[in-house]
């Protein structure tokens, strides 16, 4: 009979199992850290940890005191296309109702003393039955058919909690002792990976925003839609991915790209990036 762990605990308070780390999957995770593909890290964590314990979804959040949480990445194993919307509902409407908020408050002082070099890694478990708020329970657990959630979190820079939420589907059932032990074994890798990914994305976003601002000053004829296209092209998206991001048909996306190329006087995506870097000089 599986005995449920306490609602939250500190990593290291229970013995960890020995696991064989799949080198190819670990390499894929490392290659995506900090890159423009925001959600790749969540998808990679699903594959990496899910190879040892069944998982349905993964969401990564950044929490800072006094601010609304930020969705860092989402990953879904073909359950629903609604996970990005569910994650946004969580950070907009429900995060204050989450038991995780109490954990972060209670552990704040101890996490600050631990520092970032050897962070105090916490785990928090929550099922839908633990949530009294009916709409929160329905939106984040019942509609996506989630049975259980295990969050792995740590404090960085003395101010930002990074939290990785791993979900079991109703078809998997709640986390048993073996599955909890798997997540604990991966927890140090998980928290370091998401920290590096979040930092890399922040640098990427800052640089991208700076280049776009300078491009708008240099080419004032760029419209807001043109700017959206430029941002997508800077992220390395092809026409199909650009169309999906901006809600366009493939032919419309191609038309918008060609219009941007004409306005900037470039022949394609590589020349566009070169022109933007030149404009920053």
């Amino acid at each position: 009979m599986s005995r449920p762990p306490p609602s939250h605990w500190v990593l290291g308070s229970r013995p960890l199992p020995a696991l064989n780390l799949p080198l190819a999957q670990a390499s894929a995770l490392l290659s995506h850290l900090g890159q423009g593909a925001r959600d790749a890290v969540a998808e990679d964590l699903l594959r990496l940890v899910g190879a040892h314990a069944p998982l349905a979804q993964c969401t990564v959040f950044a929490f800072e005191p006094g601010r609304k949480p930020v969705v860092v990445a989402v990953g879904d194993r073909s359950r629903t296309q609604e996970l990005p919307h569910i994650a946004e509902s969580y950070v907009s409407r429900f995060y204050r109702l989450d038991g995780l908020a109490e954990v972060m408050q209670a552990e704040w002082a101890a996490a600050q003393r631990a520092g970032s070099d050897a962070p105090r890694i916490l785990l928090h478990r929550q099922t839908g039955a633990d949530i009294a708020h009916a709409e929160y329970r329905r939106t984040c657990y019942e509609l996506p058919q989630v049975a259980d959630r295990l969050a792995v979190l740590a404090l960085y820079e003395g101010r930002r909690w990074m939290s990785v939420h791993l979900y079991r589907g109703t078809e998997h059932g709640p986390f048993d002792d073996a599955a909890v032990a798997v997540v604990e074994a991966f927890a140090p890798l998980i928290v370091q990976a998401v920290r590096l990914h979040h930092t890399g994305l922040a640098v990427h976003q800052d640089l991208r925003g700076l280049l776009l601002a300078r491009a708008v000053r240099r080419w004032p004829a760029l419209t807001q839609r043109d700017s959206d296209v430029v941002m997508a092209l800077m992220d390395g998206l092809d026409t199909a991915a650009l169309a999906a991001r901006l809600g366009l048909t493939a032919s419309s996306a191609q038309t918008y790209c060609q219009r941007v190329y004409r306005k900037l006087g470039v022949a394609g995506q590589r020349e566009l990036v070169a022109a933007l870097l030149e404009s920053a000089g």
Side-chain angles (χ1 to χ4, degrees):
M1 186 73 174
S2 178
R3 179 175 54 83
S7 62
H8 91 272
W9 63 100
V10 181
L11 187 69
S13 58
R14 296 149 52 99
L16 299 180
L19 296 177
N20 293 319
L21 184 64
L23 183 58
Q25 293 176 353
S27 297
L29 170 64
L30 294 174
S31 70
H32 290 141
L33 296 182
Q35 301 301 313
R38 185 193 76 161
D39 295 329
V41 68
E43 296 285 358
D44 289 337
L45 287 174
L46 269 182
R47 284 189 287 270
L48 190 62
V49 182
H52 297 268
L55 296 171
Q57 296 175 332
C58 173
T59 52
V60 184
F61 300 98
F63 296 82
E64 291 191 37
R67 296 185 179 182
K68 185 181 78 170
V70 174
V71 180
V72 177
V74 300
D76 194 316
R77 306 200 83 168
S78 301
R79 294 173 58 79
T80 172
Q81 298 299 314
E82 295 301 313
L83 184 57
H85 304 295
I86 293 171
E88 289 297 337
S89 293
Y90 173 78
V91 300
S92 299
R93 303 170 56 195
F94 303 126
Y95 73 94
R96 292 186 181 90
L97 306 171
D98 195 338
L100 196 61
E102 296 179 3
V103 172
M104 289 186 286
Q105 182 177 5
E107 293 283 348
W108 180 265
Q112 282 194 313
R113 287 195 298 270
S116 296
D117 292 337
R120 182 178 174 87
I121 300 175
L122 306 169
L123 294 102
H124 174 260
R125 184 177 179 183
Q126 179 173 272
T127 69
D130 298 323
I131 300 172
H133 192 278
E135 185 63 15
Y136 174 24
R137 184 174 62 251
R138 188 182 74 87
T139 300
C140 296
Y141 284 79
E142 294 173 359
L143 290 181
Q145 299 180 27
V146 167
D148 203 351
R149 185 198 76 187
L150 191 56
V152 181
L153 67 155
L155 185 70
Y156 287 99
E157 300 172 354
R159 63 184 178 86
R160 179 187 301 113
W161 291 99
M162 299 297 300
S163 185
V164 180
H165 297 186
L166 301 170
Y167 302 89
R168 296 265 278 195
T170 53
E171 72 275 22
H172 305 133
F175 283 96
D176 56 18
D177 287 346
V180 170
V182 165
V183 175
E184 289 178 323
F186 276 104
L189 173 63
I190 289 171
V191 297
Q192 292 294 350
V194 298
R195 178 181 67 85
L196 293 172
H197 186 63
H198 183 265
T199 301
L201 285 181
V203 172
H204 177 76
Q205 292 288 344
D206 289 345
L207 175 61
R208 194 176 61 155
L210 176 63
L211 291 179
L212 181 63
R214 290 178 172 176
V216 170
R217 288 198 297 271
R218 180 174 175 181
W219 294 285
L222 290 175
T223 66
Q224 180 59 54
R225 177 58 90 182
D226 292 336
S227 297
D228 293 340
V229 171
V230 169
M231 294 286 266
L233 291 170
M234 278 196 289
D235 284 342
L237 301 187
D238 59 18
T239 302
L242 186 150
R245 174 187 287 188
L246 301 183
L248 301 171
T249 64
S251 59
S252 294
Q254 184 65 39
T255 298
Y256 277 114
C257 289
Q258 294 302 323
R259 186 175 73 179
V260 165
Y261 294 151
R262 286 196 302 272
K263 288 184 177 181
L264 273 61
V266 298
Q269 195 168 14
R270 290 185 179 181
E271 286 191 20
L272 179 142
V273 174
L276 293 174
L277 291 173
E278 179 185 349
S279 73

